């Protein structure tokens, strides 16, 4: 026989709502029950687990303790799994539906999100995808806070999160862009050293900026960063204007920029290993069936992109 559990799913649900709202009063309003019922459920949960989950300050609401932070993610996973068990017991487990919160690195979003939404709508119309577009550090924070189920990002910066697990679904080698009338535009490939005397238009995102700088520095020259921007398309437009060259990883389907300029793409003969595109999630987190379905769609999209 299995050992009895000293808490209930109702207690976990009330705890989660109180944690999200930061107030017993607001939690009771959302749950449409008396505040005393929420307070009693949380008190009994703390007693049963023998831990303090909240710091309670009069007039300042609730603050999660470290134990409360850990329980919040575990409770979300457990309740999600319980809902899946319920659906399967009712015989409708074959229908994958519900919300999936996906984090996506900002420069990957234009390439992966449109086909993801299209495929998901076609195959799983009951799934609702909510997206957080951000940089790697912000995505890691969102994972640790339980705001997203998983993240699609480059491997850059993921090593800083010891509680993360990741899998590589694609590889994106670095390449150079120059204006269409650049002297090297028709060469097809280039060594970065050939561009060392020209200004670099830098995609100025955390981790990315260090990566691009390191590629140039590996040639034994210091990059001349004349322009910097956090916008992928602004980088392309500046280069098309002849204001410098840049190094990128994701390749648009067109050489034309938003502003109507033309670019030439050059393979890098000395670009080093490609960046890895990864699906990252918290170590030990059990993904819902709908989250697993969305992950599988991303793997398929990545596989198709490498075949082109």
């Amino acid at each position: 026989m299995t050992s009895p559990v000293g808490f209930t799913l109702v207690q976990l649900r009330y705890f989660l709502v109180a944690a999200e709202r930061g107030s017993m009063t607001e939690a009771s309003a959302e749950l449409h029950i008396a505040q005393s019922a929420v307070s009693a459920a949380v008190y009994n949960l703390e007693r049963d687990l023998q831990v303090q989950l909240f710091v309670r300050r009069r007039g300042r609401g609730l603050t999660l303790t470290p134990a409360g932070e850990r329980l919040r993610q575990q409770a979300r996973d457990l309740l999600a799994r319980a809902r899946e068990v319920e659906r399967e017991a009712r015989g409708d487990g074959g229908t994958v539906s519900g919300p999936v919160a996906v984090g996506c690195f900002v420069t990957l979003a234009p390439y992966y999100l449109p086909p993801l939404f299209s495929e998901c709508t076609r195959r799983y119309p009951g799934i609702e995808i909510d997206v957080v577009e951000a940089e790697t550090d912000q995505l890691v924070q969102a994972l640790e806070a339980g705001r997203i189920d998983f993240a699609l990002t480059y491997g850059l910066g993921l090593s800083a999160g010891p509680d993360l697990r990741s899998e590589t679904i694609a590889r994106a080698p670095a390449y150079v862009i120059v204006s269409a009338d650049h002297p090297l535009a028709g060469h097809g490939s280039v060594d970065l050293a050939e561009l060392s005397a020209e200004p670099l238009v830098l995609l100025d995102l955390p981790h990315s900026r260090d990566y691009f700088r390191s590629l140039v520095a590996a040639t034994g020259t210091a990059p001349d960063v004349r322009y910097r921007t956090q916008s992928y398309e602004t980088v392309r437009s500046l280069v098309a204007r002849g204001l410098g060259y840049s190094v990128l990883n994701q390749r648009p389907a067109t050489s034309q920029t938003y502003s109507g300029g033309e670019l030439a793409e050059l393979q890098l003969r000395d670009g080093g290993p490609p960046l890895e595109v990864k699906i990252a999630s918290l170590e030990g987190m059990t993904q819902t069936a709908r989250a697993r379905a969305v992950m599988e769609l991303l793997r398929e999209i990545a596989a198709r992109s490498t075949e082109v």
Side-chain angles (χ1 to χ4, degrees), residues 178-185 240 242 262:
V178 294
S179 63
D181 58 359
H182 191 280
L184 296 175
E262 287 288 338

Side-chain angles (χ1 to χ4, degrees), residues 264-303:
E265 297 177 355
L266 305 173
Q267 291 184 350
L268 263 180
R269 294 192 291 263
D270 55 352
L275 283 186
E276 295 181 328
V277 179
K278 292 177 172 286
I279 293 176
S281 59
L282 284 183
E283 186 69 50
M285 177 179 176
T286 302
Q287 297 289 351
T288 62
R290 56 185 179 272
R292 294 195 301 270
V294 175
M295 286 180 175
E296 184 57 33
L297 289 179
L298 285 171
R299 295 185 189 101
E300 294 177 13
I301 292 167

Side-chain angles (χ1 to χ4, degrees), residues 176 190-194 215-216 218-219 267-273:
V176 163
V190 68
D191 290 314
L192 272 177
E194 298 178 61
L215 291 180
V216 179
T219 67
Q267 291 184 350
L268 263 180
R269 294 192 291 263
D270 55 352

Side-chain angles (χ1 to χ4, degrees), residues 16-17 25 30 47 49 68 83 115 121 134 153 165 177 184 197 219 230 242 252 261 288-289 298 303:
L16 271 180
V17 177
T25 301
E30 179 173 327
R47 182 197 61 195
L49 297 178
R83 286 190 289 270
T121 299
T153 185
R165 63 184 176 194
I177 55 172
L184 296 175
T219 67
Q230 295 186 339
T288 62
L298 285 171

Side-chain angles (χ1 to χ4, degrees), residues 69-85:
E69 288 282 4
R70 290 191 297 271
L71 181 63
R72 177 167 64 171
Q73 182 58 58
Q74 294 167 338
R76 289 180 72 247
D77 294 345
L78 185 57
L79 289 172
R81 180 57 185 151
R83 286 190 289 270
E84 288 186 10
V85 170

Side-chain angles (χ1 to χ4, degrees), residues 99-117:
V100 177
V102 179
C104 189
F105 190 78
V106 286
T107 60
L108 290 175
Y111 299 92
Y112 284 88
L113 294 187
L116 175 63
F117 288 157

